[in-house]
Amino acid sequence: MWENWTTVNEFVLMSFSTLSSELRALLFLLFLIIYLVTLMGNVLIILVTTADSVLQSPMYFFLRNLSFLEIGFNLVIVPKMLETLIIQYTTISFLGCATQMYFFFFFGAAECCLLATMAYDRYVAICDPLHYPVIMGFRSCVQMAAASWFSGFPVATVQTIWIFSFPFCSPKRVNHFFCDSPPVIALVCADTSLFELEALTATVLFILFPFLLILGSYVRILSTIFRMPSAEGKHKAFSTCSSHLLVVSLFYSTAILTYFRPRSSTSPENKKLLSLSYTVVTPMLNPVIYSLRNNEVKAALRRVIHRTTGLQKL
């Protein structure tokens, strides 16, 4: 293997190179629309939850942070993916690939932790409402949000530096539409078993462990809701967490299928499709879910539009 070792200055992103040029052009238009809708939707969520005085609760504070994460996630992945659909064999520099992977790990780990924090917020609101203002005070919310953001730094730093310290073999073709860990590790000319053990540990800590915390929170939430005497109380309590539960289901179902299945059981093309769902589709659906399924957000949006049009008339 060491005989094939070569100095790497750039990688080739294979992306969807096996598809016809016509189909790639259609996918480019589709993903460009999704990309723009994602950016506008998440920016709108940030503006509305910041401008409207009613949406100043911890739930909307964390939602605002989630929108910032989704914007960052999209900016890291989608522009280069769109380029691969225009240019069949798109190159990415060694530093560019490392940077993309770093921020992919960073935003991904931070989002997993933030989704767990949002589940804890709903758990306290429904299961311990009397102590909610004390437990979820502004300072506590800032600390939990900061911890979620910071959690991305260690995993991103360790894994990215470790991967790109390995020697790489030719050909330098990454069989993906971005620099994810598995397709890049496949190009390494060295024993990667220790790294793969560390990567599995990090995956358990930053994907499976937060998912189990979310699952435990919702088991307690549902048991509390079912014990409520009134149907109206049940409906109101469930409506406050249904949007988050739907977002978590979309994000984790595809992430777990991608990173917890054996290599041989999933083809590279299927892995690309799974990756599309949590890197492209889910970030677009988040603002849609939180706006269409949330009456407070819809009412706040109407108030912001009304104030804006009123100011323009003046």
Side-chain angles (χ1 to χ4, degrees), residues 201-312:
T201 304
T203 303
V204 169
L205 284 175
F206 289 97
I207 295 181
L208 191 58
F209 184 64
F211 176 72
L212 293 176
L213 288 177
I214 294 169
L215 195 61
S217 297
Y218 274 104
V219 168
R220 293 292 302 274
I221 288 170
L222 290 175
S223 69
T224 302
I225 291 174
F226 290 139
R227 289 199 305 268
M228 290 179 176
S230 67
E232 184 182 351
K234 289 180 180 179
H235 176 75
K236 185 178 179 181
F238 187 74
S239 65
T240 62
C241 57
S242 59
S243 298
H244 178 257
L245 188 58
L246 185 55
V247 168
V248 166
S249 302
L250 288 170
F251 180 81
Y252 273 101
S253 59
T254 51
I256 288 173
L257 283 173
T258 302
Y259 293 103
F260 282 95
R261 294 181 70 180
R263 289 183 182 180
S264 57
S265 65
T266 309
S267 68
E269 300 307 316
N270 287 338
K271 286 183 178 180
K272 291 176 190 177
L273 291 175
L274 287 171
S275 298
L276 277 173
S277 60
Y278 67 83
T279 57
V280 179
V281 179
T282 303
M284 178 198 68
L285 292 177
N286 285 356
V288 174
I289 291 168
Y290 275 106
S291 58
L292 294 182
R293 293 181 60 86
N294 191 304
N295 292 327
E296 288 183 340
V297 173
K298 287 190 285 187
L301 184 58
R302 285 193 293 268
R303 286 193 296 270
V304 170
I305 294 172
H306 179 72
R307 286 201 301 268
T308 304
T309 53
L311 288 172
Q312 287 177 349

Side-chain angles (χ1 to χ4, degrees), residues 15-16 19 23-38 74 78-79 81-85 177 272-273 275-277 279-281 284:
S15 187
F16 305 101
L19 302 178
L23 185 54
R24 290 204 311 274
L26 289 174
L27 288 175
F28 173 82
L29 290 174
L30 174 63
F31 292 144
L32 178 61
I33 292 169
I34 291 175
Y35 176 59
L36 295 175
V37 169
T38 301
N74 249 240
V78 180
M81 185 194 70
L82 292 174
E83 184 183 341
T84 65
L85 291 169
F177 57 84
K272 291 176 190 177
L273 291 175
S275 298
L276 277 173
S277 60
T279 57
V280 179
V281 179
M284 178 198 68

Side-chain angles (χ1 to χ4, degrees), residues 80-91:
K80 197 67 181 179
M81 185 194 70
L82 292 174
E83 184 183 341
T84 65
L85 291 169
I86 299 173
I87 305 170
Q88 189 170 11
Y89 297 106
T90 303
T91 59

Side-chain angles (χ1 to χ4, degrees), residues 43-277:
V43 167
L44 188 62
I45 289 287
I46 293 168
L47 293 176
V48 170
T49 56
T50 303
D52 193 84
S53 58
V54 176
L55 304 184
Q56 300 306 310
S57 66
M59 182 174 74
Y60 297 109
F61 171 76
F62 292 127
L63 177 58
R64 194 156 53 243
N65 278 268
L66 180 64
S67 291
F68 275 116
L69 280 173
E70 297 290 23
I71 290 170
F73 208 71
N74 249 240
L75 290 173
V76 167
I77 303 296
V78 180
K80 197 67 181 179
M81 185 194 70
L82 292 174
E83 184 183 341
T84 65
L85 291 169
I86 299 173
I87 305 170
Q88 189 170 11
Y89 297 106
T90 303
T91 59
I92 184 170
S93 67
F94 183 88
L95 181 60
C97 188
T99 302
Q100 187 183 54
M101 185 181 291
Y102 179 90
F103 283 105
F104 169 72
F105 285 144
F106 170 74
F107 288 119
E111 181 163 347
C112 288
C113 293
L114 185 64
L115 288 172
T117 303
M118 294 172 77
Y120 176 72
D121 170 67
R122 293 299 83 208
Y123 162 75
V124 177
I126 294 171
C127 300
D128 195 8
L130 295 178
H131 295 98
Y132 182 74
V134 177
I135 297 172
M136 301 302 295
F138 178 73
R139 184 177 179 181
S140 299
C141 291
V142 170
Q143 289 173 342
M144 284 188 278
S148 298
W149 280 87
F150 180 77
S151 66
F153 282 109
V155 64
T157 303
V158 170
Q159 294 215 41
T160 305
I161 291 176
W162 198 341
I163 289 174
F164 287 90
S165 64
F166 283 123
F168 291 94
C169 301
S170 290
K172 298 160 288 185
R173 296 179 178 179
V174 178
N175 193 12
H176 214 318
F177 57 84
F178 71 100
C179 288
D180 195 6
S181 173
V184 174
I185 280 293
L187 306 178
V188 169
C189 296
D191 181 16
T192 61
S193 56
L194 186 60
F195 169 81
E196 290 176 19
L197 179 61
E198 185 276 336
L200 179 61
T201 304
T203 303
V204 169
L205 284 175
F206 289 97
I207 295 181
L208 191 58
F209 184 64
F211 176 72
L212 293 176
L213 288 177
I214 294 169
L215 195 61
S217 297
Y218 274 104
V219 168
R220 293 292 302 274
I221 288 170
L222 290 175
S223 69
T224 302
I225 291 174
F226 290 139
R227 289 199 305 268
M228 290 179 176
S230 67
E232 184 182 351
K234 289 180 180 179
H235 176 75
K236 185 178 179 181
F238 187 74
S239 65
T240 62
C241 57
S242 59
S243 298
H244 178 257
L245 188 58
L246 185 55
V247 168
V248 166
S249 302
L250 288 170
F251 180 81
Y252 273 101
S253 59
T254 51
I256 288 173
L257 283 173
T258 302
Y259 293 103
F260 282 95
R261 294 181 70 180
R263 289 183 182 180
S264 57
S265 65
T266 309
S267 68
E269 300 307 316
N270 287 338
K271 286 183 178 180
K272 291 176 190 177
L273 291 175
L274 287 171
S275 298
L276 277 173
S277 60

